[in-house]
């Protein structure tokens, strides 16, 4: 093995040791043998979050022994909530509930076969989860938007297993996000829960990508990394991509990992015009797993973004992970179809999944529809940059997200922060995050949604610059601006310009203004559709002057719930910057952007 290969393998091994920790990461759960644990779960409210301590350990599910026994909760008599789902809109009394709820599901083993391993998998639970089975704590997970799983093989009975998961959605200053966000703090288990069954040794994760150095070669290369989980490993594994005539034997190292590289001829590259996905099968010992994977490269050259070596303009829109019509977190293929359908109609080839990891279904659907994605973590207002624990949490959450979505061609950008003011602690934190991501994934671009500054030299009134020192670690300069909404009127936009001190592609990651769908007035009346329409016109006119503009993601596709927004009869708990109302009706500004994208 060459020294270069040895170093790559070492980096890869240490990465998997890091991510494995005490629990394990399992990717591509949609294509594994699993039983759904979705549906009605019993619940016990724990507003002061004492259910794990003191006199009332709720997760033990104690049942009174006789009529004299004292137990102060009961799953047996408890009501139910639907999982997956935000708890806030299932019962009126839970609308603004912040604290803990303990959920219980009773289930049987998938089949009584021996020599299998079982895992409880949770797609996401906001924010801090304590997972217990049959009275034993399996572990905790922090972070409201990334998946996690715990092995339950040792504790699983044939019948009547009691899975109790405590979820605490209290907002804390050392959390990610921190205390204040402009979105609703949906509590609970918001994505699918599965019981996964695997052989004793199985493929837990793999990364496949197109080697960008082979882009201009006749025969291109697919790079691969494979991770097995088990106590003993077969010496060989296999990867099959029938359409590309790939049937390749992979050598497994002693610790169950492997890196490999395969030459392929006549590969069709993934792009919005041709979102080609290949059937890929991986085999190791008794385990076989299938996936649908696209291959592409994404790079920058001077001020351009290059997809498969060709310049691309990102016609985007921002999005929250909500189905506004159902008033819930999005959690299904149908939810993903609704919002990506709107984005397609708008003429988008790009969507910013703001401000935290969205459900996996939307990323998989974007792969199929040919929509490129920006993904991010809620490193948002008010983060405690000084706390090393917060940095560790951010790295862990990014690792979980990268593990989940590495094989999705649609995902092209990781954004490491949104509207965070530069200072030494924050700059060091974000530099460390950028290095962390690059050490695991060199197949995507890095950005951050920065703030703009008034230019001090040149024309102070009309010119803005992006000065954020974090830019040197990023591939794309992105910035949010709200001219015509949070500052001045839309009529002032046209004379403004933006420039960045570094020559890199630029994305306008947010602009917009609020409008109540159905309220018509004139272009100077706030909250009217006419004002928003005019604001979009004037902003778009201003963007055409930005040197190096490579894309935009206006704020936002649809109205979304936010407790910060309380103006009666206009907001009523909704941020109204959507181009579409919560009932799915398009506002006038939708058509302004649509027209621009259709001709771009
Ligand atoms: C922003 C934030 C976004 C808000 C938006 C607004 O700059 O990034 O989270 O929702 O402004 O509507 O004010």
């Amino acid at each position: 093995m060459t020294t270069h290969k040895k170093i790559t393998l070492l980096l890869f091994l240490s990465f998997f040791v890091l991510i494995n920790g005490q629990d394990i990461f399992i990717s591509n759960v949609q294509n594994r043998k699993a039983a759904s644990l979705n549906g009605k779960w019993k619940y016990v409210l724990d507003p002061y979050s004492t259910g794990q301590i003191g006199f009332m350990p709720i997760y033990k599910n104690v049942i009174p022994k006789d009529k004299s026994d004292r137990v102060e909760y009961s799953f047996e008599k408890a009501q139910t909530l639907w999982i997956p789902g935000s708890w806030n809109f299932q019962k009126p009394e839970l609308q603004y509930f912040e604290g803990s709820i303990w959920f219980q599901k009773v289930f049987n083993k998938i089949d009584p076969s021996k020599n299998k391993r079982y895992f409880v998998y949770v797609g996401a639970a906001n924010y801090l989860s304590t997972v217990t089975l049959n009275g034993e704590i399996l572990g905790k997970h922090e972070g409201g938007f990334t998946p996690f799983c715990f092995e339950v093989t040792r504790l699983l009975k044939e019948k009547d297993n009691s899975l109790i998961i405590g979820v605490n959605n209290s907002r804390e200053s050392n959390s990610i996000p921190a205390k204040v966000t402009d979105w609703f703090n949906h509590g609970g288990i918001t994505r699918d829960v599965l019981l996964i069954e695997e052989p004793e040794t199985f493929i837990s994760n793999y990364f496949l990508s197109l080697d960008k150095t082979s882009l201009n070669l006749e025969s291109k290369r697919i790079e691969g990394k494979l991770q097995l989980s088990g106590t003993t490993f077969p010496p060989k594994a296999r990867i099959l991509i029938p359409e590309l005539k790939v049937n390749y034997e992979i050598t497994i190292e002693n610790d169950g990992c492997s890196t490999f590289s395969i030459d392929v001829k006549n590969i069709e590259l993934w792009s919005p015009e041709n979102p080609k996905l290949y059937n890929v099968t991986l085999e190791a010992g008794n385990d076989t797993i299938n996936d649908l994977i696209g291959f592409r490269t994404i790079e920058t050259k001077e001020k351009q973004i290059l997809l498969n070596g060709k310049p691309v303009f990102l016609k985007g829109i921002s999005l929250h992970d909500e189905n506004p019509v159902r008033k819930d977190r999005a959690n299904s293929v149908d939810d993903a179809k609704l919002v990506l359908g709107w984005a397609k109609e708008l003429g988008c080839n790009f969507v910013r999944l703001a401000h935290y990891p969205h459900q996996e279904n939307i990323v998989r659907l974007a792969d199929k529809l040919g929509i490129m994605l920006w993904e991010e973590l809620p490193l948002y207002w008010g983060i405690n940059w000084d706390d090393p624990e917060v940095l560790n949490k951010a790295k862990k959450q990014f690792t979980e997200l990268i593990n989940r979505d590495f094989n999705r061609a649609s995902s092209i950008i990781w954004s490491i922060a949104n509207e965070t003011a530069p200072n030494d602690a924050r700059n060091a934190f974000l530099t460390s995050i950028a290095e962390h991501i690059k050490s695991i994934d060199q197949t995507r671009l890095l950005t951050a949604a920065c703030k703009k500054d008034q230019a001090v030299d040149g024309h102070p009134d009309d010119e803005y610059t992006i000065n954020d020192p974090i830019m040197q670690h990023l591939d794309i300069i992105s910035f949010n601006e709200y001219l015509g909404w949070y500052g001045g009127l839309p009529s002032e936009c046209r004379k403004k310009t933006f420039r960045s001190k570094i020559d890199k592609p630029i994305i306008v990651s947010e602009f917009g203004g609020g409008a109540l769908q159905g309220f018509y007035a004139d272009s100077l009346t706030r909250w009217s559709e006419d004002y928003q329409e005019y604001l979009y016109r004037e902003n778009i006119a201003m963007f055409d002057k930005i040197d190096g503009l490579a894309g935009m993601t206006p704020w936002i596709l649809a109205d979304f719930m936010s407790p910060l927004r309380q103006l009666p009869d206009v907001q009523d708990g909704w941020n109204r910057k959507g181009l579409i109302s919560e009932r799915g009706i398009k506002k006038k500004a939708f058509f302004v952007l649509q027209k621009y994208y259709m001709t771009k």
Side-chain angles (χ1 to χ4, degrees), residues 365-471:
L365 186 64
D367 257 15
K368 291 186 182 147
L369 296 179
I371 295 180
M372 296 172 280
L373 299 176
W374 153 319
E375 297 200 70
E376 68 189 85
L377 229 58
L379 289 167
Y380 187 85
W381 309 340
I383 292 290
N384 188 349
W385 307 112
D386 293 311
D387 185 341
E389 272 313 300
V390 178
L391 178 62
N392 288 339
K393 289 177 199 177
K395 286 185 179 170
K396 183 161 183 285
Q397 287 178 32
F398 251 123
T399 307
E400 289 167 342
L401 176 61
I402 296 170
N403 274 324
R404 193 193 73 177
D405 290 347
F406 186 95
N407 296 316
R408 305 283 77 83
S410 55
S411 171
I412 57 162
I413 291 175
W414 300 127
S415 173
I416 61 171
N418 180 76
E419 286 188 350
T420 60
N423 62 48
D424 288 350
R426 173 273 200 182
N427 300 347
F429 185 114
L430 291 184
T431 304
S432 177
I433 291 291
E435 283 163 2
H436 174 72
I437 295 174
K438 286 281 178 197
S439 75
I440 340 177
D441 184 3
Q442 289 103 46
T443 68
R444 292 180 171 79
L445 303 174
L446 280 192
T447 197
C450 300
K451 298 182 177 198
K452 62 179 177 19
D453 293 313
Q454 192 85 49
V456 281
D457 48 354
H459 311 278
D461 286 344
D462 296 343
E463 197 164 292
Y464 294 96
T465 53
I466 323 303
N467 290 318
D468 195 323
I470 197 63
M471 290 190 314

Side-chain angles (χ1 to χ4, degrees), residues 181-183 320 352 354-355 380-381 418-419 449 480-482 485-486 510 555-556 560 562 565 575-577:
T181 63
D182 188 15
W183 67 81
H320 265 291
R352 175 182 179 193
H355 279 302
Y380 187 85
W381 309 340
N418 180 76
E419 286 188 350
N480 297 350
E481 65 84 11
Y482 280 91
W485 187 255
Y486 289 129
E510 286 181 30
W555 193 254
I556 184 171
F560 60 96
S562 171
R565 311 294 176 169
N575 183 314
R576 294 289 181 202
K577 295 191 188 70

Side-chain angles (χ1 to χ4, degrees), residues 183-419:
W183 67 81
F184 199 94
N185 181 25
H186 292 281
I189 303 177
T190 53
R191 295 184 192 149
D192 295 340
V193 187
L194 301 172
L195 178 68
I196 298 176
E197 183 189 282
E198 291 292 353
E200 284 187 320
T201 296
F202 70 99
I203 300 161
S204 54
N205 200 6
Y206 49 89
F207 287 178
L208 296 173
S209 61
L210 193 76
D211 173 0
K212 50 183 171 235
T213 63
S214 71
L215 182 65
N216 296 320
L217 305 179
E218 164 85 25
S219 162
K220 310 208 189 314
R221 268 190 308 276
I222 293 177
E223 304 254 83
K225 294 174 180 178
L226 183 69
Q227 167 72 45
L228 303 188
S229 169
T231 43
T232 56
F233 304 108
K236 303 283 179 196
R238 191 164 282 283
I239 174 167
L240 299 115
I241 312 177
E243 248 191 288
L244 290 174
K245 301 193 172 49
V246 169
N247 182 343
Y248 181 85
E249 192 175 74
I250 303 165
T251 302
I252 303 293
E253 304 288 330
N254 292 339
D255 52 4
C257 295
S258 179
T259 59
F260 52 93
S261 169
I262 310 167
D263 289 331
V264 286
K265 289 218 162 56
N266 303 323
I267 184 166
E268 273 181 59
L269 301 185
W270 184 96
S271 70
E273 297 73 37
N274 178 28
K276 173 71 189 163
L277 301 177
Y278 286 94
N279 275 305
V280 175
T281 301
L282 289 149
E283 297 172 351
N286 296 327
D287 194 24
T288 301
I289 185 150
N290 298 312
D291 209 342
L292 263 180
I293 298 184
F295 298 95
R296 53 100 188 108
T297 61
I298 190 86
E299 292 165 286
T300 61
K301 191 175 163 209
E302 288 146 20
K303 293 182 179 178
Q304 288 182 322
I305 298 176
L306 305 180
L307 176 69
N308 302 325
K310 296 194 196 88
V312 63
F313 186 82
L314 304 177
K315 297 187 268 184
I317 190 73
S318 297
L319 183 69
H320 265 291
D321 193 30
E322 252 177 21
N323 178 334
V325 185
R326 286 199 306 109
K327 269 183 118 182
D328 195 359
R329 277 262 170 257
N331 56 34
S332 65
V333 178
D334 282 349
D335 288 343
K337 278 186 179 158
L338 177 79
V339 290
L340 289 191
W342 285 337
K344 273 263 169 194
E345 207 183 326
L346 188 57
C348 295
N349 60 10
F350 182 58
V351 171
R352 175 182 179 193
L353 303 182
H355 279 302
Y356 40 75
H358 287 214
Q359 59 155 341
E360 189 174 350
N361 288 315
I362 199 167
V363 188
R364 287 192 174 260
L365 186 64
D367 257 15
K368 291 186 182 147
L369 296 179
I371 295 180
M372 296 172 280
L373 299 176
W374 153 319
E375 297 200 70
E376 68 189 85
L377 229 58
L379 289 167
Y380 187 85
W381 309 340
I383 292 290
N384 188 349
W385 307 112
D386 293 311
D387 185 341
E389 272 313 300
V390 178
L391 178 62
N392 288 339
K393 289 177 199 177
K395 286 185 179 170
K396 183 161 183 285
Q397 287 178 32
F398 251 123
T399 307
E400 289 167 342
L401 176 61
I402 296 170
N403 274 324
R404 193 193 73 177
D405 290 347
F406 186 95
N407 296 316
R408 305 283 77 83
S410 55
S411 171
I412 57 162
I413 291 175
W414 300 127
S415 173
I416 61 171
N418 180 76
E419 286 188 350

Side-chain angles (χ1 to χ4, degrees), residues 85-153:
S86 153
W87 66 46
N88 305 79
F89 296 95
Q90 297 192 40
K91 311 251 168 179
E93 66 275 21
L94 294 180
Q95 180 165 2
Y96 286 109
F97 179 75
E98 293 188 322
S100 295
I101 292 187
W102 294 82
F103 294 94
Q104 188 206 35
K105 183 86 177 170
V106 176
F107 66 94
N108 300 333
K109 213 173 182 176
I110 298 182
D111 65 46
S113 57
K114 298 268 182 304
N115 306 328
K116 295 280 186 203
R117 291 171 68 191
Y118 292 90
F119 301 85
V120 167
Y121 171 92
V122 180
N126 189 32
Y127 169 81
L128 179 65
S129 306
T130 306
V131 183
T132 77
L133 186 74
N134 299 332
E136 263 194 52
I137 296 180
L138 298 165
K140 288 180 186 283
H141 178 265
E142 185 165 349
F145 305 96
T146 45
F148 52 95
C149 74
F150 290 99
E151 180 153 14
V152 295
T153 314

Side-chain angles (χ1 to χ4, degrees), residues 489-506:
L489 289 173
S491 53
E492 290 155 43
C493 292
R494 277 182 199 254
K495 53 180 197 271
K496 309 283 181 188
T497 55
F498 300 85
R499 63 184 167 84
S500 132
K501 288 198 172 149
I502 303 186
D503 271 357
K504 292 187 180 179
I506 292 179

